[in-house]
């Protein structure tokens, strides 16, 4: 009887721990959307009207890097990071462990649903950061001579190239010096559940912030789609192989700058749109492009409430090193995403009815979602596409 009671107690304990772990992962995954959307709006708000650079970054990488950095932070510096990451809402002692689980999760579909290369690193001058090296989740490059800026830039750029299979180059154009440099780099190429026919490629005009000639790929199939006539927005979800992840496209019904769509871009509105998606025949045309962005996220951190980390006087990263008063001087983030024809094949015949048209020949927003954890892997805006220019800006 005692053995039975002991077994029942342990079973209940493990069940509670499992539920707590699942709840914590749900909080962490949900926060990738919260942080991602806040950062997206901050980037767009602080960009000049003449800036034609596409927006592309990984909210998951950002939250992973900040979680890792928090393990070396103390005082209000750590408290601000924990508040942003909602660590107190996680039903486990260490939110960093939950984030590490998300890191492992988004690598599980490598070479099946997508090709993914990424890394997070910290570059510091101190030589006494050995204890922080273990378990931080960051590749720590210490003993950096920041008085030799050329060497620092070369080290960062080589790291980014190696981390992304040479897909991200020239990541660091400048660094402030006098503090730590946090860096993220990611290359992502999704594999569609059904590939586009390369024989069907043709050249069309992409009507973004610049009018350019691009190669367009076309296919028709059964997809989850919604047309919001009231808000004049089309929403399309395209699964990747094995439905482990999806790319969600948000596009105005007509050619226009993205500012109107962006004014509606909240987590609640996105969830509303996703809740109205229905399977139907859709004829899809997408530009075959590689989108790239590089940002110094440091200047956007204040908008997210991380004021101490970037303040030379207030920052407390004494958990990393006691040799110097460390602050975050730069937070470099670079990402590339390929939209290509490549994908899986299927013998299942689709019964195609009269199709809805999703013709992405103008600016759109996209979201890459991990369907198992619901994490936001990438968010971006395709505002321009490489090609021969035809007209001036809108």
């Amino acid at each position: 009887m005692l053995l039975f009671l002991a077994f029942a107690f342990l079973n209940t304990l493990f069940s509670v721990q499992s539920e707590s772990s699942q709840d914590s992962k749900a909080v962490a995954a949900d926060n990738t959307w919260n942080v991602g959307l806040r950062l997206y709006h901050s980037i767009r708000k602080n960009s000049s009207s003449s800036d034609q650079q596409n927006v592309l970054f990984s909210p998951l990488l950002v939250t992973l890097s900040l979680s890792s950095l928090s393990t070396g932070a103390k005082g209000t510096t750590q408290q601000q990071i924990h508040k942003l990451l909602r660590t107190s809402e996680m039903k486990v002692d260490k939110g960093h462990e939950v984030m590490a689980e998300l890191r492992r999760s988004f690598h599980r579909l490598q070479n099946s649903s997508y090709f993914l290369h990424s890394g997070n690193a910290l570059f510091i001058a101190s030589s006494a950061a050995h204890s922080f090296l273990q378990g931080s989740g960051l590749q720590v490059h210490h003993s950096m001579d920041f008085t030799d800026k050329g060497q620092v830039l070369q080290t960062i750029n080589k790291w980014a190239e190696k981390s992304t299979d040479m897909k991200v180059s020239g990541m660091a154009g400048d660094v402030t010096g006098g503090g730590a440099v946090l860096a993220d780099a990611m290359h992502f190429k999704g594999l569609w559940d059904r590939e586009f026919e390369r024989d069907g490629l043709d050249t069309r005009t992409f009507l973004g912030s610049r009018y350019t000639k691009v190669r367009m790929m076309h296919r028709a199939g059964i997809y989850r789609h919604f047309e919001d006539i009231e808000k004049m927005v089309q929403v399309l979800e395209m699964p990747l192989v094995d439905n482990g992840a999806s790319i969600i496209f948000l596009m105005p019904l007509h050619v226009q700058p993205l500012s109107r769509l962006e004014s509606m871009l909240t987590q609640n509105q996105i969830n509303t749109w996703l809740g109205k998606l229905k399977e139907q025949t859709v004829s899809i045309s997408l530009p075959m492009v590689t989108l790239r962005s590089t940002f110094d996220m440091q200047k956007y951190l204040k908008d997210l409430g991380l004021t101490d980390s970037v303040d030379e006087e207030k920052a407390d990263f004494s958990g990393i090193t006691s040799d110097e008063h460390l602050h975050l001087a730069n937070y470099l983030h670079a990402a590339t995403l390929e939209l290509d024809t490549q994908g899986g094949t299927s013998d299942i015949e689709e019964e195609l009815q009269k199709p809805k048209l999703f013709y992405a020949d103008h600016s759109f927003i996209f979201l890459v979602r991990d369907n198992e954890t619901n994490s936001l892997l990438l968010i971006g805006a395709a505002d321009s596409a490489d090609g021969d220019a035809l007209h001036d800006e809108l």
Side-chain angles (χ1 to χ4, degrees):
M1 184 65 177
L2 288 175
L3 183 62
F4 173 78
L5 291 174
F7 177 79
F9 172 76
L10 289 173
N11 188 57
T12 301
L13 179 62
F14 291 147
S15 176
V16 170
Q17 288 177 336
S18 177
E19 290 178 6
S20 295
S21 178
Q22 291 300 319
D23 290 346
S24 298
K25 282 193 288 186
V27 170
D30 182 71
N31 209 37
T32 60
W33 291 79
N34 173 53
V35 172
L37 290 170
R38 289 177 64 188
L39 259 181
Y40 180 92
H41 285 297
S42 179
I43 290 169
R44 294 298 256 185
K45 179 184 71 175
N46 291 290
S47 297
S48 65
S49 59
S50 61
D51 186 2
Q52 296 178 356
Q53 178 175 287
N54 293 319
V55 174
L56 176 64
F57 65 92
S58 170
L60 181 57
L61 270 191
V62 170
T63 54
L64 287 171
S65 285
L66 293 177
S67 176
S68 296
L69 195 65
S70 73
T71 63
K74 293 185 179 181
T76 56
T77 302
Q78 185 183 66
Q79 291 169 16
Q80 289 174 359
I81 299 175
H82 283 179
K83 182 178 179 181
L84 176 65
L85 300 180
R86 294 162 58 189
T87 306
S88 62
E89 298 178 38
M90 299 181 189
K91 298 179 180 180
V92 291
D93 292 335
K94 296 181 180 179
H96 181 60
E97 293 179 1
V98 177
M99 298 304 302
E101 286 188 48
L102 288 187
R103 180 192 297 274
R104 290 189 291 270
S105 180
F106 92 98
H107 278 289
R108 77 192 186 284
L109 298 175
Q110 167 71 304
N111 298 327
S112 59
S113 288
Y114 41 69
F115 296 135
L116 174 69
H117 302 278
S118 66
N120 317 72
L122 183 68
F123 301 85
I124 59 176
S126 173
S127 60
H130 300 289
S131 61
F132 183 71
L133 291 173
Q134 300 177 349
S136 71
L138 293 169
Q139 301 172 42
V140 181
H141 298 251
H142 54 87
S143 303
M144 301 282 292
D145 181 6
F146 279 91
T147 62
D148 187 348
K149 184 176 289 189
Q151 185 62 44
V152 171
L153 296 178
Q154 184 179 34
T155 300
I156 295 173
N157 287 330
K158 282 186 175 180
W159 166 82
E161 290 172 357
K162 182 178 180 181
S163 298
T164 60
D165 194 31
M166 306 300 291
K167 300 296 185 180
V168 171
S169 61
M171 174 182 182
D174 192 18
V175 290
T176 303
V181 176
L182 185 63
D184 305 329
M186 173 184 278
H187 170 72
F188 183 92
K189 178 180 177 179
L191 302 173
W192 308 113
D193 65 333
R194 293 190 177 192
E195 65 183 7
F196 288 77
E197 294 291 336
R198 293 193 69 88
D199 292 343
L201 293 172
D202 58 12
T203 301
R204 304 288 180 94
T205 302
F206 186 82
L207 306 171
S209 54
R210 295 182 303 127
Y211 288 8
T212 56
K213 287 289 187 180
V214 300
R215 299 179 80 188
M216 296 284 286
M217 48 191 184
H218 315 275
R219 83 171 311 272
I222 306 296
Y223 292 96
R224 283 162 42 83
H225 175 267
F226 173 63
E227 192 170 79
D228 189 334
I229 299 300
E230 179 184 350
K231 292 182 167 50
M232 302 295 285
V233 175
Q234 269 189 301
V235 185
L236 172 70
E237 179 180 0
M238 294 188 67
L240 305 181
V241 170
D242 297 329
N243 200 35
S246 298
I247 302 183
I248 299 160
F249 295 92
L250 310 173
M251 184 175 70
L253 288 180
H254 304 296
V255 178
Q256 60 184 225
L258 285 174
S259 53
R260 187 185 66 84
L261 174 56
E262 289 171 339
S263 69
M264 297 182 275
L265 201 63
T266 65
Q267 201 165 348
N268 285 339
Q269 181 60 71
I270 292 171
N271 288 336
T272 297
W273 280 327
L274 296 181
K276 293 183 178 181
L277 293 175
K278 292 183 179 179
E279 288 192 348
Q280 54 191 301
T281 303
V282 186
S283 181
I284 300 169
S285 296
L286 294 175
M288 194 172 80
V289 293
T290 297
L291 303 173
R292 302 176 177 85
S293 274
T294 300
F295 296 103
D296 187 347
M297 291 291 190
Q298 188 263 10
K299 61 185 177 182
Y300 308 117
L301 293 182
K302 288 186 178 180
D303 280 356
L304 275 65
L306 305 187
T307 56
D308 283 14
S309 298
V310 299
D311 190 309
E312 190 171 355
E313 298 299 322
K314 295 181 180 179
D316 185 351
F317 290 109
S318 54
I320 297 177
T321 175
S322 58
D323 276 7
E324 57 184 319
H325 192 64
L326 199 65
H327 75 287
L328 193 60
N330 299 96
Y331 179 7
L332 306 179
H333 186 102
T336 67
L337 175 138
E338 287 187 57
L339 294 178
D340 198 356
T341 60
Q342 195 170 352
T345 57
S346 175
D347 295 330
I348 299 175
E349 291 292 331
E350 294 179 311
E351 186 178 345
L352 304 182
Q353 306 295 331
K354 184 177 180 180
K356 293 284 187 179
L357 298 179
F358 188 88
Y359 197 83
D361 67 341
H362 56 284
S363 300
F364 56 85
I365 294 171
F366 56 90
L367 312 158
V368 182
R369 181 185 64 194
D370 181 319
N371 289 333
E372 180 175 306
T373 65
N374 197 40
S375 299
L376 185 57
L377 299 182
L378 284 160
I379 182 172
D383 238 348
S384 64
D386 290 341
D388 294 332
L390 301 180
H391 300 286
D392 293 334
E393 298 178 19
L394 285 174

